[in-house]
Amino acid sequence: MIRVLVVDDEALIRTGFQHILDAADDIEVVAAVPGGRALTAVREAGPDVVLLDIRMPDVDGLTVLAELRRLPHPPVVAMLTTFDMDEYVETALRSGAAGFLLKDTDPEELPFLVRALADGGTVLSSKVTRTVVDGFLGAGSQEAAAHTIERLTDRERHVLLLVAEGLSNGDIATRMHLSTGTVKDHVSAILTKLGVGGRVQAALLAQRAGLLEKGEG
């Protein structure tokens, strides 16, 4: 079972997400709480995935994200918003968010997105992808990104390429004939060497470096 925590200041949103996700056989919403109770709920319920509202009146979602990332074993966090041009997108992803979803995401897609997050994948709503890409790809030169990628071994570069293609840890393990644990170790090493806070940043750095066009690995 994939254990999910929904954090949102609107009770209607919390209830809606809970009903949708609880209908899936392999997903359990362990708690649905407002922002002020997020940290306590995470410590008590131990979720695998947290869907976190980025804008809440009682506590800033980015502050909650930063605190969750400091936990010894932080859950995977995807940010929720009603805005398709949110100025906090880049900050959230640089802080280690694994994805960015709009609250009007198709209900049929939501369980699949949660499964992807739980499996180490990255999730970006199609409506915010351009915002994210423009923000990150405009932040540095292709040459600088390529130089950063050179810190990786050939195996790590291959893993990064597959991450950039949107594959989850399980899919990468199958593709490269590795264990999922080995893939996780490689991803952790990649994030450290690249100096990024999450897979989305790493994937966009790979894109800026031209790794996808070269098909290296």
Side-chain angles (χ1 to χ4, degrees):
M1 293 293 288
I2 300 171
R3 298 168 59 81
V4 178
L5 172 67
V6 179
V7 181
D8 196 284
D9 62 309
E10 297 182 37
L12 184 61
I13 296 294
R14 297 197 303 268
T15 301
F17 271 60
Q18 183 166 10
H19 281 293
I20 293 168
L21 293 174
D22 276 341
D25 293 337
D26 58 339
I27 298 174
E28 176 189 6
V29 176
V30 294
V33 300
R37 295 174 53 195
L39 290 174
T40 298
V42 167
R43 294 189 178 100
E44 292 178 349
D48 304 304
V49 175
V50 175
L51 302 181
L52 173 64
D53 188 6
I54 201 167
R55 290 181 175 179
M56 297 178 286
D58 53 347
V59 61
D60 178 23
L62 295 176
T63 299
V64 174
L65 172 63
E67 293 175 344
L68 290 178
R69 294 293 297 172
R70 285 195 289 268
L71 294 175
H73 302 287
V76 175
V77 181
M79 310 305 293
L80 300 173
T81 185
T82 56
F83 303 94
D84 61 349
M85 294 293 286
D86 197 301
E87 64 268 28
Y88 296 142
V89 172
E90 183 173 347
T91 300
L93 295 177
R94 290 192 183 281
S95 299
F100 203 89
L101 302 176
L102 296 182
K103 294 182 184 180
D104 62 357
T105 295
D106 187 334
E108 293 185 359
E109 293 182 5
L110 190 58
F112 295 98
L113 299 177
V114 166
R115 293 183 189 110
L117 289 164
D119 195 32
T122 58
V123 173
L124 289 175
S125 167
S126 60
K127 294 182 181 180
V128 298
T129 298
R130 179 169 296 279
T131 302
V132 176
V133 171
D134 288 348
F136 277 87
L137 299 190
S141 69
Q142 180 174 348
E143 292 76 13
H147 181 71
T148 301
I149 296 296
E150 290 177 358
R151 302 171 185 171
L152 306 180
T153 65
D154 289 342
R155 172 62 63 84
E156 289 168 347
R157 190 155 43 243
H158 189 183
V159 171
L160 175 61
L161 174 62
L162 298 180
V163 168
E165 290 178 352
L167 274 66
S168 67
N169 288 339
D171 292 335
I172 294 173
T174 299
R175 180 80 64 87
M176 297 184 66
H177 306 290
L178 300 172
S179 70
T180 302
T182 297
V183 172
K184 289 181 179 178
D185 289 341
H186 281 313
V187 171
S188 178
I190 289 168
L191 299 183
T192 298
K193 289 184 178 181
L194 298 183
V196 296
R199 295 168 70 102
V200 177
Q201 270 188 274
L204 293 172
L205 183 63
Q207 183 173 349
R208 188 164 68 226
L211 194 62
L212 291 173
E213 289 79 3
K214 296 175 184 177
E216 294 185 9

